[in-house]
Amino acid sequence: FEDVRNGTLAALDRATDADMDKPGPESTREFAPTVGSVFMLTGQHELMHSGQFVALRRKLGRPVMF
C-alpha cells in the first residue's frame, strides 16, 4: 500500500494542470477518461475497500466503530 501511495504521490507531484486533461490509459477510459480522473479513482479505490471491511466486520458480529 505504502509503495503504491508513494508512487502515486510522486507522479502527482510531477504532473501539470495540463497533464490532468490528457486522455487516460485506454484500458481505463470507459470509467476514467482523463489522467486527472485516474488520480481521483486511485483515491476512491482505497475508500471502496474500507467499505468492504465494514461489511465484513458486521458479518463477523464486531461492534460498529464509529
Side-chain angles (χ1 to χ4, degrees):
F1 170 80
E2 287 182 27
D3 290 342
V4 172
R5 174 115 171 110
N6 290 335
T8 301
L9 291 174
L12 189 56
D13 283 341
R14 289 189 305 271
T16 65
D17 288 346
D19 290 336
M20 296 298 162
D21 291 329
K22 291 180 180 177
E26 189 152 341
S27 60
T28 68
R29 285 191 192 148
E30 185 176 325
F31 52 90
T34 64
V35 170
S37 62
V38 172
F39 279 112
M40 289 294 296
L41 182 66
T42 302
Q44 294 169 349
H45 187 86
E46 179 185 347
L47 293 173
M48 182 265 311
H49 284 298
S50 296
Q52 291 174 329
F53 284 114
V54 169
L56 179 60
R57 285 183 55 81
R58 290 191 178 156
K59 186 76 172 170
L60 293 172
R62 298 289 179 99
V64 175
M65 295 178 66
F66 46 87

